[in-house]
Coordinates of all heavy atoms in Angstrom, one line a residue:
M1 N 0.8 -1.2 0.0 CA 0.0 0.0 0.0 C 0.9 1.2 0.0 O 1.9 1.3 0.7 CB -0.9 0.0 1.2 CG -1.8 1.2 1.2 SD -3.1 1.4 2.5 CE -3.0 -0.1 3.5
A2 N 0.4 2.2 -0.7 CA 1.2 3.5 -0.8 C 0.3 4.7 -0.6 O -0.9 4.6 -0.9 CB 1.9 3.6 -2.2
V3 N 0.8 5.7 0.0 CA 0.0 6.9 0.3 C 0.8 8.1 -0.3 O 2.0 8.2 -0.1 CB -0.2 7.2 1.8 CG1 -1.0 8.5 2.0 CG2 -1.0 6.0 2.4
T4 N 0.1 8.9 -1.1 CA 0.8 10.1 -1.7 C 0.0 11.3 -1.3 O -1.2 11.3 -1.0 CB 0.9 10.0 -3.2 OG1 -0.4 9.9 -3.8 CG2 1.8 8.8 -3.6
K5 N 0.7 12.5 -1.3 CA 0.0 13.7 -1.0 C 0.4 14.7 -2.1 O 1.6 14.8 -2.5 CB 0.6 14.2 0.4 CG 0.1 15.6 0.8 CD 0.7 16.0 2.1 CE 0.4 17.4 2.6 NZ 1.1 17.8 3.8
E6 N -0.6 15.5 -2.5 CA -0.4 16.4 -3.6 C -1.3 17.7 -3.4 O -2.4 17.5 -3.0 CB -0.8 15.8 -4.9 CG -0.7 16.6 -6.2 CD -1.1 15.9 -7.4 OE1 -1.6 14.7 -7.4 OE2 -0.9 16.5 -8.5
L7 N -0.7 18.8 -3.6 CA -1.5 20.1 -3.5 C -2.6 20.1 -4.6 O -2.3 19.9 -5.7 CB -0.6 21.3 -3.7 CG -1.2 22.6 -3.5 CD1 -1.7 22.8 -2.0 CD2 -0.2 23.7 -3.8
F8 N -3.8 20.3 -4.1 CA -5.0 20.3 -5.0 C -5.4 21.7 -5.3 O -6.0 22.0 -6.4 CB -6.1 19.5 -4.4 CG -7.3 19.3 -5.3 CD1 -7.2 18.8 -6.5 CD2 -8.6 19.7 -4.8 CE1 -8.3 18.6 -7.3 CE2 -9.7 19.5 -5.6 CZ -9.6 19.0 -6.9
G9 N -5.2 22.7 -4.4 CA -5.5 24.1 -4.6 C -5.6 24.8 -3.3 O -5.1 24.3 -2.3
Q10 N -6.2 26.0 -3.3 CA -6.3 26.8 -2.1 C -7.7 27.3 -2.0 O -8.4 27.5 -2.9 CB -5.4 28.0 -2.2 CG -3.9 27.7 -2.0 CD -3.1 29.0 -1.9 OE1 -3.5 30.0 -2.5 NE2 -2.0 28.9 -1.2
T11 N -8.1 27.4 -0.7 CA -9.5 27.9 -0.4 C -9.5 29.4 -0.7 O -8.4 30.0 -0.9 CB -9.8 27.6 1.1 OG1 -8.9 28.3 1.9 CG2 -9.9 26.2 1.4
R12 N -10.7 30.0 -0.6 CA -10.8 31.4 -0.8 C -10.0 32.2 0.1 O -9.5 33.3 -0.2 CB -12.3 31.8 -0.8 CG -13.1 31.2 -1.9 CD -14.5 31.6 -1.7 NE -15.3 30.8 -2.7 CZ -16.4 30.2 -2.4 NH1 -16.9 30.2 -1.2 NH2 -17.1 29.5 -3.3
D13 N -9.8 31.7 1.4 CA -9.0 32.5 2.3 C -7.5 32.1 2.3 O -6.8 32.4 3.2 CB -9.6 32.3 3.7 CG -9.6 30.9 4.2 OD1 -9.2 30.0 3.5 OD2 -10.1 30.7 5.4
G14 N -7.1 31.3 1.3 CA -5.7 31.1 1.1 C -5.1 29.8 1.8 O -3.9 29.6 1.7
R15 N -6.0 29.0 2.4 CA -5.5 27.7 3.0 C -5.3 26.7 1.9 O -6.1 26.5 1.0 CB -6.4 27.2 4.0 CG -6.4 28.1 5.3 CD -7.4 27.6 6.3 NE -8.8 27.9 5.8 CZ -9.8 27.2 6.2 NH1 -9.7 26.2 7.0 NH2 -11.0 27.5 5.7
D16 N -4.1 25.9 2.0 CA -3.9 24.9 1.1 C -4.8 23.7 1.3 O -5.1 23.3 2.4 CB -2.4 24.4 1.2 CG -1.4 25.4 0.7 OD1 -1.8 26.3 0.0 OD2 -0.2 25.3 1.1
V17 N -5.2 23.1 0.2 CA -6.1 21.9 0.2 C -5.3 20.8 -0.5 O -4.8 21.0 -1.7 CB -7.4 22.1 -0.5 CG1 -8.2 20.8 -0.6 CG2 -8.2 23.2 0.2
Y18 N -5.1 19.7 0.1 CA -4.3 18.6 -0.4 C -5.2 17.4 -0.8 O -6.3 17.2 -0.3 CB -3.3 18.1 0.6 CG -2.2 19.2 0.9 CD1 -2.4 20.0 1.9 CD2 -1.1 19.2 0.1 CE1 -1.4 21.0 2.2 CE2 -0.1 20.2 0.3 CZ -0.3 21.1 1.3 OH 0.6 22.0 1.6
T19 N -4.7 16.6 -1.8 CA -5.3 15.3 -2.1 C -4.4 14.3 -1.6 O -3.2 14.2 -1.8 CB -5.4 15.2 -3.7 OG1 -6.1 16.2 -4.2 CG2 -6.0 13.8 -4.0
Y20 N -5.0 13.4 -0.8 CA -4.3 12.2 -0.3 C -4.8 11.0 -1.1 O -6.0 10.8 -1.2 CB -4.5 11.9 1.2 CG -3.7 12.8 2.1 CD1 -4.2 14.1 2.4 CD2 -2.5 12.4 2.5 CE1 -3.5 14.9 3.2 CE2 -1.7 13.3 3.3 CZ -2.3 14.5 3.7 OH -1.5 15.4 4.5
T21 N -3.9 10.2 -1.7 CA -4.3 9.1 -2.5 C -3.6 7.8 -1.9 O -2.4 7.8 -1.6 CB -3.8 9.2 -4.0 OG1 -4.4 10.4 -4.5 CG2 -4.2 8.0 -4.8
I22 N -4.5 6.8 -1.7 CA -4.1 5.6 -1.1 C -4.3 4.5 -2.2 O -5.4 4.4 -2.8 CB -4.9 5.2 0.1 CG1 -4.8 6.3 1.2 CG2 -4.5 3.8 0.7 CD1 -5.9 6.1 2.3
S23 N -3.2 3.8 -2.5 CA -3.3 2.8 -3.6 C -2.8 1.4 -3.1 O -2.0 1.4 -2.2 CB -2.5 3.2 -4.8 OG -1.2 3.5 -4.5
N24 N -3.2 0.4 -3.8 CA -2.8 -1.0 -3.4 C -2.2 -1.7 -4.6 O -2.1 -1.2 -5.7 CB -3.9 -1.8 -2.7 CG -5.0 -2.1 -3.7 OD1 -4.9 -2.1 -4.9 ND2 -6.1 -2.5 -3.1
K25 N -1.7 -2.9 -4.3 CA -1.1 -3.7 -5.4 C -2.0 -4.2 -6.5 O -1.6 -4.7 -7.5 CB -0.4 -4.9 -4.7 CG -1.4 -5.9 -4.1 CD -0.7 -7.1 -3.4 CE -1.7 -7.9 -2.8 NZ -1.3 -9.2 -2.4
N26 N -3.3 -4.1 -6.3 CA -4.3 -4.5 -7.2 C -4.8 -3.4 -8.2 O -5.8 -3.5 -8.8 CB -5.5 -5.1 -6.5 CG -5.2 -6.3 -5.7 OD1 -4.4 -7.1 -6.1 ND2 -5.7 -6.3 -4.5
N27 N -4.0 -2.3 -8.2 CA -4.3 -1.1 -9.1 C -5.6 -0.4 -8.7 O -6.2 0.2 -9.5 CB -4.3 -1.5 -10.5 CG -3.0 -1.9 -11.1 OD1 -2.0 -1.3 -10.7 ND2 -2.9 -2.9 -12.0
M28 N -5.9 -0.5 -7.4 CA -7.1 0.2 -6.9 C -6.5 1.4 -6.1 O -5.5 1.3 -5.4 CB -7.9 -0.7 -6.0 CG -8.5 -1.8 -6.7 SD -9.4 -2.9 -5.5 CE -10.7 -1.8 -5.0
S29 N -7.3 2.5 -6.1 CA -6.9 3.7 -5.3 C -8.1 4.5 -5.0 O -9.1 4.5 -5.7 CB -5.8 4.5 -6.0 OG -6.4 5.1 -7.2
I30 N -7.9 5.2 -3.9 CA -8.9 6.3 -3.5 C -8.2 7.6 -3.3 O -7.0 7.6 -2.9 CB -9.8 5.9 -2.2 CG1 -8.9 5.8 -1.0 CG2 -10.5 4.6 -2.4 CD1 -9.6 5.9 0.3
S31 N -8.9 8.7 -3.6 CA -8.3 10.0 -3.3 C -9.3 10.8 -2.5 O -10.5 10.8 -2.8 CB -8.1 10.7 -4.6 OG -7.1 10.0 -5.4
V32 N -8.8 11.4 -1.5 CA -9.6 12.2 -0.6 C -8.9 13.6 -0.4 O -7.7 13.7 -0.3 CB -9.7 11.6 0.8 CG1 -10.5 12.4 1.8 CG2 -10.3 10.2 0.7
I33 N -9.7 14.7 -0.5 CA -9.2 16.0 -0.3 C -9.4 16.5 1.1 O -10.4 16.1 1.8 CB -9.6 17.0 -1.4 CG1 -11.1 17.3 -1.3 CG2 -9.3 16.5 -2.8 CD1 -11.6 18.4 -2.2
T34 N -8.6 17.4 1.5 CA -8.6 17.9 2.9 C -9.6 19.0 3.1 O -9.6 19.7 4.1 CB -7.2 18.4 3.4 OG1 -6.7 19.4 2.5 CG2 -6.3 17.2 3.5
Y35 N -10.5 19.2 2.1 CA -11.6 20.2 2.2 C -12.9 19.3 2.3 O -13.4 18.8 1.4 CB -11.6 21.0 0.9 CG -12.8 22.0 0.9 CD1 -12.7 23.2 1.6 CD2 -13.9 21.8 0.1 CE1 -13.7 24.1 1.6 CE2 -14.9 22.7 0.1 CZ -14.8 23.9 0.8 OH -15.9 24.8 0.8
G36 N -13.4 19.2 3.6 CA -14.6 18.5 3.8 C -14.4 17.0 3.8 O -15.4 16.2 3.7
A37 N -13.2 16.5 3.8 CA -12.9 15.1 3.7 C -13.6 14.5 2.5 O -14.2 13.4 2.6 CB -13.2 14.3 5.0
I38 N -13.6 15.2 1.4 CA -14.3 14.8 0.2 C -13.6 13.6 -0.5 O -12.4 13.6 -0.8 CB -14.4 16.0 -0.8 CG1 -15.3 17.0 -0.2 CG2 -15.0 15.5 -2.1 CD1 -15.4 18.3 -1.0
L39 N -14.4 12.6 -0.7 CA -14.0 11.4 -1.5 C -14.0 11.8 -3.0 O -15.1 12.0 -3.6 CB -14.9 10.2 -1.3 CG -14.5 8.9 -2.0 CD1 -13.1 8.5 -1.6 CD2 -15.5 7.9 -1.7
K40 N -12.8 12.1 -3.6 CA -12.7 12.7 -4.9 C -12.7 11.6 -6.0 O -13.3 11.8 -7.0 CB -11.5 13.5 -5.0 CG -11.2 14.2 -6.3 CD -10.0 15.1 -6.2 CE -9.5 15.6 -7.5 NZ -9.0 14.6 -8.4
N41 N -12.0 10.5 -5.8 CA -11.8 9.4 -6.8 C -11.8 8.1 -6.1 O -11.2 7.9 -5.0 CB -10.5 9.6 -7.6 CG -10.4 10.9 -8.3 OD1 -9.7 11.8 -7.8 ND2 -11.0 11.1 -9.4
V42 N -12.4 7.1 -6.8 CA -12.2 5.7 -6.4 C -11.9 5.0 -7.8 O -12.7 4.9 -8.6 CB -13.4 5.0 -5.8 CG1 -13.2 3.6 -5.6 CG2 -13.8 5.7 -4.5
M43 N -10.6 4.6 -7.9 CA -10.2 4.1 -9.2 C -10.1 2.5 -9.0 O -9.4 2.1 -8.1 CB -8.8 4.6 -9.6 CG -8.7 6.1 -9.6 SD -9.8 6.9 -10.8 CE -9.0 6.6 -12.3
V44 N -10.8 1.8 -9.9 CA -10.8 0.3 -9.8 C -10.6 -0.2 -11.2 O -11.1 0.3 -12.2 CB -12.0 -0.2 -9.1 CG1 -12.1 0.2 -7.7 CG2 -13.3 0.2 -9.9
P45 N -10.0 -1.4 -11.3 CA -9.9 -2.0 -12.6 C -11.1 -2.9 -12.9 O -11.7 -3.5 -12.0 CB -8.6 -2.9 -12.5 CG -8.5 -3.2 -11.0 CD -9.1 -2.0 -10.3
D46 N -11.5 -2.9 -14.2 CA -12.6 -3.8 -14.5 C -12.0 -5.2 -14.8 O -10.8 -5.5 -14.7 CB -13.4 -3.3 -15.7 CG -12.7 -3.2 -17.0 OD1 -11.5 -3.8 -17.1 OD2 -13.2 -2.5 -17.9
K47 N -12.8 -6.2 -15.3 CA -12.3 -7.5 -15.5 C -11.3 -7.6 -16.6 O -10.5 -8.6 -16.7 CB -13.5 -8.5 -15.8 CG -14.3 -8.2 -17.0 CD -15.4 -9.2 -17.2 CE -16.2 -8.9 -18.4 NZ -17.3 -9.8 -18.5
K48 N -11.2 -6.6 -17.5 CA -10.1 -6.6 -18.5 C -8.9 -5.8 -18.1 O -8.0 -5.6 -18.8 CB -10.7 -6.0 -19.8 CG -11.8 -6.9 -20.4 CD -12.3 -6.3 -21.7 CE -13.3 -7.2 -22.3 NZ -13.9 -6.6 -23.5
G49 N -9.0 -5.3 -16.8 CA -7.8 -4.5 -16.3 C -7.9 -3.0 -16.6 O -7.0 -2.3 -16.1
K50 N -8.9 -2.5 -17.3 CA -9.0 -1.1 -17.6 C -9.4 -0.4 -16.3 O -10.4 -0.7 -15.6 CB -10.0 -0.8 -18.6 CG -10.2 0.6 -18.9 CD -11.3 0.9 -20.0 CE -11.4 2.4 -20.2 NZ -12.8 2.8 -19.9
I51 N -8.6 0.6 -15.9 CA -8.9 1.3 -14.6 C -9.8 2.5 -14.9 O -9.6 3.3 -15.8 CB -7.6 1.8 -14.0 CG1 -6.7 0.6 -13.7 CG2 -7.8 2.6 -12.7 CD1 -5.3 0.9 -13.2
D52 N -10.8 2.6 -14.1 CA -11.8 3.7 -14.2 C -12.2 4.3 -12.9 O -12.2 3.5 -11.9 CB -13.0 3.3 -15.0 CG -13.7 4.4 -15.8 OD1 -13.2 5.6 -15.7 OD2 -14.6 4.1 -16.5
D53 N -12.7 5.5 -12.9 CA -13.2 6.1 -11.7 C -14.6 5.8 -11.5 O -15.4 5.9 -12.4 CB -13.0 7.7 -11.8 CG -13.2 8.4 -10.5 OD1 -13.6 7.8 -9.5 OD2 -13.0 9.6 -10.5
V54 N -15.0 5.3 -10.3 CA -16.4 4.9 -10.1 C -17.2 5.8 -9.2 O -18.3 5.4 -8.8 CB -16.5 3.4 -9.6 CG1 -15.9 2.5 -10.6 CG2 -15.7 3.3 -8.3
V55 N -16.7 7.0 -8.8 CA -17.4 8.0 -8.1 C -17.4 9.3 -8.8 O -16.5 9.5 -9.7 CB -16.9 8.2 -6.6 CG1 -17.0 6.9 -5.8 CG2 -15.5 8.7 -6.6
L56 N -18.4 10.1 -8.5 CA -18.4 11.5 -9.1 C -17.5 12.4 -8.3 O -17.6 12.4 -7.1 CB -19.8 12.0 -9.2 CG -20.8 11.2 -10.0 CD1 -22.2 11.7 -9.9 CD2 -20.4 11.2 -11.5
G57 N -16.7 13.2 -9.0 CA -15.9 14.1 -8.3 C -15.4 15.2 -9.3 O -15.5 15.0 -10.5
Y58 N -14.9 16.3 -8.8 CA -14.5 17.4 -9.7 C -13.0 17.3 -9.8 O -12.3 16.9 -8.9 CB -14.9 18.7 -9.1 CG -16.4 18.9 -9.0 CD1 -17.0 19.2 -7.8 CD2 -17.2 18.9 -10.1 CE1 -18.4 19.4 -7.7 CE2 -18.5 19.1 -10.1 CZ -19.1 19.4 -8.9 OH -20.5 19.6 -8.8
D59 N -12.5 17.9 -10.9 CA -11.1 17.9 -11.2 C -10.4 19.2 -10.7 O -9.2 19.2 -10.5 CB -10.8 17.9 -12.7 CG -11.2 16.5 -13.3 OD1 -11.1 15.5 -12.6 OD2 -11.7 16.5 -14.5
K60 N -11.2 20.2 -10.4 CA -10.7 21.5 -9.9 C -11.3 21.8 -8.5 O -12.6 21.6 -8.4 CB -10.9 22.6 -10.9 CG -10.4 22.4 -12.2 CD -8.9 22.5 -12.3 CE -8.4 22.3 -13.7 NZ -7.0 22.1 -13.8
L61 N -10.6 22.4 -7.6 CA -11.1 22.7 -6.3 C -12.2 23.7 -6.3 O -13.2 23.6 -5.6 CB -10.0 23.2 -5.4 CG -10.4 23.6 -4.0 CD1 -10.9 22.4 -3.2 CD2 -9.2 24.1 -3.2
W62 N -12.1 24.7 -7.2 CA -13.1 25.8 -7.3 C -14.5 25.2 -7.6 O -15.6 25.7 -7.2 CB -12.8 26.9 -8.3 CG -12.8 26.5 -9.7 CD1 -11.7 26.0 -10.4 CD2 -13.9 26.4 -10.6 NE1 -12.1 25.7 -11.7 CE2 -13.5 26.0 -11.8 CE3 -15.3 26.8 -10.4 CZ2 -14.3 25.8 -12.9 CZ3 -16.1 26.6 -11.5 CH2 -15.6 26.1 -12.7
M63 N -14.6 24.0 -8.3 CA -15.8 23.4 -8.6 C -16.6 23.0 -7.3 O -17.8 23.0 -7.3 CB -15.6 22.3 -9.6 CG -15.0 22.7 -10.9 SD -14.5 21.3 -11.9 CE -15.3 21.6 -13.4
Y64 N -15.8 22.6 -6.3 CA -16.5 22.2 -5.1 C -17.1 23.4 -4.4 O -18.1 23.3 -3.7 CB -15.5 21.5 -4.1 CG -15.2 20.1 -4.6 CD1 -14.0 19.8 -5.3 CD2 -16.0 19.0 -4.4 CE1 -13.7 18.5 -5.7 CE2 -15.8 17.7 -4.9 CZ -14.6 17.5 -5.5 OH -14.3 16.3 -6.0
F65 N -16.4 24.6 -4.5 CA -16.9 25.8 -3.9 C -18.2 26.2 -4.6 O -19.2 26.8 -4.0 CB -15.9 27.0 -4.0 CG -14.6 26.7 -3.4 CD1 -13.5 27.2 -3.9 CD2 -14.5 26.0 -2.2 CE1 -12.2 26.9 -3.3 CE2 -13.3 25.7 -1.6 CZ -12.2 26.2 -2.2
A66 N -18.3 26.0 -5.9 CA -19.5 26.4 -6.7 C -20.7 25.5 -6.4 O -21.8 25.9 -6.6 CB -19.2 26.4 -8.2
N67 N -20.4 24.3 -5.9 CA -21.5 23.4 -5.6 C -22.0 23.7 -4.2 O -21.3 23.5 -3.2 CB -21.0 21.9 -5.6 CG -22.0 20.9 -5.3 OD1 -22.9 21.1 -4.5 ND2 -21.9 19.8 -5.9
G68 N -23.3 24.1 -4.1 CA -23.9 24.4 -2.8 C -24.4 23.3 -2.0 O -24.9 23.5 -0.9
S69 N -24.3 22.1 -2.5 CA -24.8 20.9 -1.7 C -23.8 20.0 -1.1 O -24.1 18.9 -0.8 CB -25.7 20.1 -2.6 OG -25.0 19.6 -3.7
F70 N -22.5 20.5 -1.0 CA -21.4 19.8 -0.3 C -21.2 18.4 -1.0 O -21.0 17.4 -0.3 CB -21.7 19.6 1.2 CG -22.0 21.0 1.8 CD1 -23.3 21.4 2.1 CD2 -21.0 21.9 2.0 CE1 -23.5 22.6 2.6 CE2 -21.2 23.1 2.6 CZ -22.5 23.5 2.9
F71 N -21.2 18.4 -2.3 CA -21.0 17.2 -3.1 C -19.8 16.4 -2.7 O -18.7 16.9 -2.7 CB -20.9 17.7 -4.6 CG -20.7 16.6 -5.6 CD1 -21.8 15.7 -5.9 CD2 -19.5 16.5 -6.3 CE1 -21.6 14.7 -6.8 CE2 -19.4 15.5 -7.2 CZ -20.4 14.6 -7.5
G72 N -20.0 15.2 -2.3 CA -18.9 14.3 -2.0 C -18.4 14.5 -0.6 O -17.5 13.7 -0.2
A73 N -18.8 15.4 0.1 CA -18.2 15.7 1.5 C -18.7 14.7 2.5 O -19.8 14.4 2.6 CB -18.6 17.1 1.9
T74 N -17.8 14.3 3.3 CA -18.1 13.5 4.5 C -18.2 14.3 5.8 O -18.7 13.9 6.8 CB -17.1 12.3 4.7 OG1 -15.8 12.9 4.8 CG2 -17.1 11.4 3.5
V75 N -17.6 15.5 5.7 CA -17.7 16.5 6.8 C -18.4 17.7 6.2 O -17.8 18.4 5.4 CB -16.3 16.8 7.4 CG1 -16.4 17.9 8.5 CG2 -15.6 15.6 7.9
G76 N -19.6 18.0 6.7 CA -20.3 19.2 6.2 C -20.2 20.4 7.1 O -19.4 20.5 8.0
P77 N -21.1 21.3 6.9 CA -21.0 22.6 7.5 C -21.4 22.6 9.0 O -21.2 23.5 9.7 CB -22.0 23.5 6.8 CG -23.0 22.5 6.2 CD -22.2 21.3 5.9
I78 N -21.9 21.5 9.5 CA -22.2 21.4 10.9 C -21.1 20.7 11.8 O -21.3 20.6 13.0 CB -23.6 20.7 11.2 CG1 -23.5 19.2 10.8 CG2 -24.7 21.4 10.5 CD1 -24.4 18.3 11.6
A79 N -20.1 20.3 11.1 CA -19.0 19.7 11.9 C -18.5 20.5 13.0 O -18.3 21.7 12.9 CB -17.8 19.4 10.9
N80 N -18.4 19.9 14.2 CA -18.0 20.6 15.4 C -19.0 21.6 15.9 O -18.7 22.4 16.7 CB -16.6 21.2 15.3 CG -16.0 21.5 16.7 OD1 -16.3 20.7 17.6 ND2 -15.3 22.5 16.8
R81 N -20.3 21.6 15.4 CA -21.3 22.5 15.9 C -22.4 21.8 16.6 O -23.5 22.4 16.9 CB -21.9 23.3 14.7 CG -20.8 24.2 14.1 CD -21.4 25.0 13.0 NE -20.4 25.7 12.3 CZ -20.5 26.2 11.1 NH1 -21.6 26.1 10.5 NH2 -19.5 26.8 10.6
T82 N -22.2 20.6 17.0 CA -23.2 19.8 17.7 C -22.8 19.5 19.1 O -23.3 18.6 19.8 CB -23.5 18.5 17.0 OG1 -22.3 17.7 16.8 CG2 -24.2 18.7 15.6
D83 N -21.9 20.3 19.7 CA -21.5 20.2 21.1 C -22.6 20.2 22.0 O -23.5 21.0 21.9 CB -20.5 21.4 21.4 CG -19.9 21.2 22.7 OD1 -19.5 20.0 23.1 OD2 -19.7 22.2 23.4
K84 N -22.6 19.2 22.9 CA -23.6 19.1 24.0 C -25.0 18.8 23.4 O -26.0 18.9 24.1 CB -23.7 20.3 24.9 CG -22.4 20.5 25.6 CD -22.5 21.6 26.6 CE -21.2 21.8 27.4 NZ -20.1 22.3 26.8
A85 N -25.1 18.3 22.2 CA -26.4 17.9 21.6 C -26.9 16.6 22.3 O -26.1 15.8 22.8 CB -26.2 17.6 20.1
A86 N -28.2 16.5 22.5 CA -28.8 15.4 23.2 C -30.2 15.1 22.7 O -30.8 15.9 22.1 CB -28.8 15.7 24.7
F87 N -30.6 13.8 22.9 CA -32.0 13.4 22.6 C -32.3 12.3 23.5 O -31.5 11.6 24.1 CB -32.2 13.1 21.2 CG -31.3 11.9 20.7 CD1 -31.9 10.6 20.7 CD2 -30.0 12.0 20.3 CE1 -31.2 9.5 20.3 CE2 -29.3 10.9 19.9 CZ -29.9 9.7 19.9
S88 N -33.6 12.0 23.7 CA -34.1 10.9 24.5 C -34.8 9.9 23.7 O -35.6 10.2 22.8 CB -35.0 11.5 25.6 OG -34.3 12.4 26.5
V89 N -34.6 8.6 24.1 CA -35.3 7.5 23.5 C -35.8 6.6 24.6 O -34.9 6.1 25.4 CB -34.5 6.7 22.5 CG1 -35.2 5.5 22.0 CG2 -34.0 7.6 21.3
N90 N -37.1 6.4 24.8 CA -37.7 5.6 25.8 C -37.1 6.0 27.2 O -36.8 5.2 28.0 CB -37.4 4.1 25.6 CG -38.1 3.6 24.3 OD1 -39.1 4.1 24.0 ND2 -37.4 2.7 23.7
G91 N -37.0 7.3 27.4 CA -36.6 7.8 28.7 C -35.1 7.8 28.9 O -34.6 8.3 30.0
K92 N -34.3 7.3 28.0 CA -32.9 7.3 28.1 C -32.3 8.4 27.4 O -32.5 8.6 26.2 CB -32.3 6.0 27.7 CG -30.8 5.9 27.9 CD -30.2 4.5 27.6 CE -28.7 4.5 27.9 NZ -28.1 3.2 27.7
Q93 N -31.4 9.2 28.0 CA -30.8 10.4 27.4 C -29.5 10.0 26.7 O -28.7 9.2 27.2 CB -30.4 11.4 28.6 CG -29.8 12.7 28.0 CD -30.8 13.7 27.6 OE1 -32.0 13.5 27.8 NE2 -30.4 14.8 27.1
Y94 N -29.4 10.4 25.4 CA -28.2 10.1 24.6 C -27.6 11.4 24.3 O -28.2 12.4 24.1 CB -28.6 9.4 23.3 CG -29.1 8.0 23.6 CD1 -30.5 7.7 23.7 CD2 -28.2 6.9 23.6 CE1 -31.0 6.5 23.9 CE2 -28.7 5.6 23.8 CZ -30.1 5.4 23.9 OH -30.5 4.1 24.1

């Protein structure tokens, strides 16, 4: 397994955004960017060995900014804003 890091772009306020790519010996790889922990690519070979991306993602960072629905993000705008959140089920507080 190998992990690589590559500069993907900068946010509007000048922070660097990186792409981390994890690959294995079977020619499979995933790429995640450090903006919203977005899953950008999942590259897998088909039965003939042709490698293709099987998830939707953008090639340029600005395209993620233009998308108002947090496309591909695993961490959205509420991250770290649910401090002390609670609810009850059958009288038990969670």
Side-chain angles (χ1 to χ4, degrees):
M1 182 177 354
V3 178
T4 60
K5 177 183 175 184
E6 180 180 5
L7 183 64
F8 187 55
Q10 288 188 328
T11 61
R12 294 177 188 133
D13 61 358
R15 289 180 288 155
D16 289 341
V17 174
Y18 292 94
T19 301
Y20 283 88
T21 302
I22 303 167
S23 57
N24 69 15
K25 64 181 178 168
N26 299 317
N27 292 323
M28 296 176 66
S29 66
I30 65 163
S31 296
V32 178
I33 64 173
T34 58
Y35 178 76
I38 293 173
L39 181 62
K40 182 178 169 290
N41 303 98
V42 176
M43 307 299 285
V44 295
D46 66 13
K47 64 182 179 182
K48 294 181 180 179
K50 180 182 177 239
I51 299 171
D52 206 358
D53 193 355
V54 295
V55 298
L56 298 174
Y58 296 122
D59 294 328
K60 304 288 183 192
L61 181 60
W62 69 266
M63 297 169 129
Y64 289 101
F65 302 143
N67 179 326
S69 61
F70 308 101
F71 180 69
T74 57
V75 178
I78 65 153
N80 199 33
R81 294 184 188 162
T82 55
D83 186 36
K84 297 183 175 74
F87 63 95
S88 295
V89 176
N90 296 327
K92 184 172 180 177
Q93 184 84 4
Y94 293 92

